[in-house]
Amino acid sequence: EIVLTQSPATLSLSPGERATLSCRASQTVSSYVAWYQQKPGQSPRLLIYDASNRATGIPARFSGSGSGTDFTLTISSLEPEDFAVYYCQQRRAFGQGTKVEIK
Amino acid sequence: EVQLLESGGGLGQPGGSLRLSCAASGFSFRTYAMSWVRQAPGKGLEWVSIISGSGGSTYYADSVKGRFTISRDNSKNTLYLQMNSLRDEDTAVYYCARDARYSGSNPSTMVSWGQGTMVTVSS
C-alpha cells in the first residue's frame, strides 16, 4: 500500500511569492501522480496529472515535476485565489494535504 | 460542460443504510470509470470505490469493503453508492469523480468532481 506524505503541512507566504509543495511516496511509483486544489466549501479541482501536465484551463504559474518517490508542485507567483489546500494523489492514495495560507 | 450532481446524503443511524446518487452530464458517461471519494469533517481526501465504464468491475477501499456497493446505470447517466452497516466513521462529504480512464482496479486521475453530498451517521 502506497503512502503519500506531503510537506510542509502549512506554507505561509505572501502574494507574488513562489510556493514549493512536496509529495513523497513510500515506494517508487509510476509518474501517474496528480495534484488537486481545494478551497473552503468547494470540491477538489484537478491541477496537474501524470506528474507534470497541467489540466485544462490551469494557469501556467502552476507546474509539476518529479519521478520515482519525490514529486513537487510549484506555484511560481502566488495570486490571491491560490491560497487553498493542495493534495497529491497516486492510485488509491492521497497525501494529507498542504495548506497554503496568506502570511 | 461536465456536471456531476450528487444527492441522497443526510442523517443515517449506526447500522443503517443510505443510497447516494450522482447524476452526470456533459460527457459520454459510459466511456469512463467513476469513483467515490469522501472527506470527513476537517480531514483529507479518502478514496472509497471505483467502477469501470461498463459497470462490470468494481473495487473498494478496505474500510468499506463488504458494506458499500458501487453501481451505475449507463442508460440514466447515474452513479450510485449503496451504504449499509453505517458507522460513525463514515460521516463525511461524499464526492463522485470522473476518472481519466475507462477501467482499472485503481483510480488514475480524477478529472472532474461533483459538489459533494454530506452523510452524517449518528443516533
Side-chain angles (χ1 to χ4, degrees), chain A residues 1 32 34 36 38 42-46 48-50 87 89-92 94-96, chain B residues 37 39 43-47 59-61 95 105-111 113-115:
Chain A
E1 179 186 337
Y32 297 128
Y36 303 89
Q38 188 178 33
Q42 296 185 18
S43 56
R45 177 176 73 143
L46 175 66
I48 300 289
Y49 65 95
D50 295 351
Y87 295 95
Q89 174 251 333
Q90 210 277 339
R91 294 161 61 111
R92 300 181 180 193
F94 285 94
Q96 80 280 18
Chain B
V37 177
Q39 186 170 36
K43 303 297 184 183
L45 302 169
E46 179 189 13
W47 174 80
Y59 302 89
Y60 300 90
Y95 298 101
S105 58
N106 297 295
S108 59
T109 300
M110 284 170 268
V111 178
W113 298 65
Q115 88 292 342

Side-chain angles (χ1 to χ4, degrees), chain B residues 55-68:
Chain B
S57 298
T58 58
Y59 302 89
Y60 300 90
D62 288 344
S63 57
V64 306
K65 196 176 296 182
R67 300 188 299 121
F68 289 9

Side-chain angles (χ1 to χ4, degrees), chain A residues 36 38 42-45 87-95, chain B residues 4 6 20-22 33-40 43-51 59-61 63-64 68 70 79-81 83 89-99 106-119:
Chain A
Y36 303 89
Q38 188 178 33
Q42 296 185 18
S43 56
R45 177 176 73 143
Y87 295 95
C88 60
Q89 174 251 333
Q90 210 277 339
R91 294 161 61 111
R92 300 181 180 193
F94 285 94
Chain B
L4 298 169
E6 300 94 337
L20 307 183
S21 299
C22 170
M34 296 290 296
S35 279
W36 287 98
V37 177
R38 67 185 181 183
Q39 186 170 36
K43 303 297 184 183
L45 302 169
E46 179 189 13
W47 174 80
V48 172
S49 181
I50 189 169
I51 186 168
Y59 302 89
Y60 300 90
S63 57
V64 306
F68 289 9
I70 190 172
L79 175 73
Y80 302 101
L81 186 67
M83 309 167 63
E89 56 265 35
D90 296 323
T91 294
V93 174
Y94 284 74
Y95 298 101
C96 63
R98 196 209 93 184
D99 201 271
N106 297 295
S108 59
T109 300
M110 284 170 268
V111 178
S112 303
W113 298 65
Q115 88 292 342
T117 187
M118 182 70 204
V119 170

